[in-house]
Amino acid sequence: MSPFLLTRTLPEDATDAALRADVLHGLSRTPKTLPPKWFYDARGSALFEEITTLPEYYPTRAEREILVTRAAEIAEITGARTLIELGSGSSEKTRHLIDAMATLDTYVPVDVSESALTGAANALLAQRPSLSVHALIADFTRGLALPGTPGPRLVAFLGGTIGNLLPTERAAFLASVRGLLSPGDMLLLGTDLVKDESVLVSAYDDGAGVTAAFNKNVLTVMNRELEADFDPAAFQHVAVWDREHEWIEMRLRARADQTVKIPTLGLAVDFTAGEELRTEISAKFREDGVRSELAAAELKLSHWWTDERGRFALSLSTA
Ligand code: AVJ
């Protein structure tokens, strides 16, 4: 009997079909765009882990500071018996929270990566064998079916990843999360905050060029998975602050006119010199904006915590 349950709700070939659809749609429209989920193959995930250690990239450190400082308070307030973590990855972020939650008996990590889920579950169970872990291989942005577990339940969506969603996508996502909750359940949400433009841009365009490599990695993913012939050297990494929407945009700018062939999709994609492919938005938030977005999903903001320097926030809201 394996020490934890692992449920696959993503069909095996879901990834290929989704990548093909996203590339076909995203590269045949103007402006060209791709969803950021395709960054995270093994190399992309390793590059992101490296990004979290960069001096310019403050969000991970800032969120960890809040989690360490507020874990006992969050545990006390929620008294949660189940913790559901969306986009759990290595579960490194939630380790402090789980350690503080004496009432916890079930942990439901949700991620698209089976290896991340297995690694995290084994590490957690080594430390806390009494915990029951039910890991879900699922893409939470495409609807989620949760196993029946004891309440009250706390859903955690950390890292600021909600910022990758456009406002309309965020509204739909928060409404779908709300639909999973029963009265008394809660949502713990990590949001990066609006701040000085130069600080934000540096966090997405570091001096060592790790973020540039992370951004260009999506071209390598398409070359490998779709037999495309992107030349990463023919594109320049760009990170800009969109003042109107209050989000960072990562883009890949074509250095010259070029045509990229994607034979498996029957595509020949023309880029003109200077044309930019948007690869990610990372929205930055204000307390009032988060309060109203949660309220629109019938979630009531009850606690707002930031790191000492006010760079990042964790909010707790109730269904
Ligand atoms: C993992 C989505 C929160 O948006 O800050 C890091 C990804 N992109 N550097 C973010 C990312 C460029 C990160 N999230």
Side-chain angles (χ1 to χ4, degrees):
M1 159 74 170
S2 103
F4 66 92
L5 268 175
L6 179 66
T7 308
R8 170 185 296 283
T9 61
L10 266 183
E12 294 276 353
D13 66 348
T15 307
D16 298 346
L19 175 61
R20 294 165 62 88
D22 284 345
V23 173
L24 201 55
H25 173 76
L27 298 191
S28 7
R29 48 168 294 189
T30 306
K32 297 180 176 72
T33 179
L34 288 173
K37 65 194 280 191
W38 303 115
F39 285 136
Y40 300 93
D41 64 349
R43 178 160 181 267
S45 302
L47 284 167
F48 174 62
E49 288 309 312
E50 193 178 346
I51 285 170
T52 66
T53 67
L54 293 172
E56 298 96 329
Y57 190 78
Y58 60 84
T60 308
R61 285 187 295 279
E63 183 176 63
R64 185 181 300 122
E65 178 193 314
I66 308 169
L67 278 170
V68 169
T69 313
R70 300 293 181 177
E73 198 175 341
I74 293 167
E76 176 68 27
I77 291 164
T78 63
R81 291 185 57 200
T82 296
L83 173 63
I84 297 149
E85 188 179 5
L86 306 181
S88 51
S90 66
S91 299
E92 187 274 330
K93 293 190 285 283
T94 20
R95 184 64 56 84
H96 311 290
L97 198 49
I98 291 172
D99 292 349
M101 294 171 77
T103 55
L104 189 70
D105 52 41
T106 307
Y107 175 52
V108 182
V110 183
D111 203 290
V112 289
S113 158
E114 180 170 352
S115 60
L117 287 168
T118 308
N122 285 324
L124 272 174
L125 287 165
Q127 212 185 0
R128 190 161 167 178
S130 62
L131 197 60
S132 70
V133 177
H134 188 159
L136 295 187
I137 304 169
D139 176 352
F140 55 79
T141 62
R142 308 181 72 82
L144 195 59
L146 289 179
T149 58
R153 296 177 300 168
L154 174 63
V155 175
F157 188 38
L158 304 176
T161 302
I162 191 164
N164 275 178
L165 302 179
L166 291 163
T168 49
E169 294 168 328
R170 292 202 299 267
F173 169 74
L174 288 172
S176 74
V177 168
R178 177 65 185 82
L180 297 170
L181 301 183
S182 312
D185 289 346
M186 303 184 96
L187 170 66
L188 183 67
L189 184 64
T191 47
D192 196 10
L193 301 179
V194 174
K195 58 180 68 62
D196 181 82
E197 179 173 353
S198 63
V199 172
L200 288 169
V201 171
S202 303
Y204 292 85
D205 192 6
D206 62 280
V210 180
T211 308
F214 174 73
N215 195 11
K216 291 191 180 189
N217 183 59
V218 73
L219 304 178
T220 311
V221 168
M222 289 190 284
N223 286 351
R224 183 182 66 243
E225 300 300 328
L226 302 176
E227 298 167 27
D229 64 358
F230 280 97
D231 171 7
F235 290 85
Q236 178 195 356
H237 167 65
V238 173
V240 290
W241 172 239
D242 179 325
R243 281 194 194 87
E244 185 204 344
H245 295 109
E246 294 198 322
W247 67 47
I248 282 280
E249 278 201 9
M250 286 214 310
R251 304 173 187 161
L252 290 171
R253 179 182 294 152
R255 296 183 192 277
D257 291 0
Q258 54 196 286
T259 299
V260 176
K261 292 185 211 55
I262 311 184
T264 52
L265 299 181
L267 267 187
V269 185
D270 295 330
F271 288 87
T272 53
E275 182 181 350
E276 296 179 333
L277 156 63
R278 188 174 82 185
T279 53
E280 181 185 61
I281 70 161
S282 194
K284 306 307 171 186
F285 295 87
R286 300 169 186 274
E287 182 175 355
D288 288 348
V290 172
R291 176 178 286 106
S292 57
E293 289 194 37
L294 289 167
E298 293 175 34
L299 286 160
K300 188 174 179 330
L301 177 64
S302 63
H303 293 79
W304 176 265
W305 297 292
T306 71
D307 61 303
E308 192 74 30
R309 292 163 60 183
R311 296 167 293 177
F312 196 93
L314 278 190
S315 58
L316 194 60
S317 56
T318 53

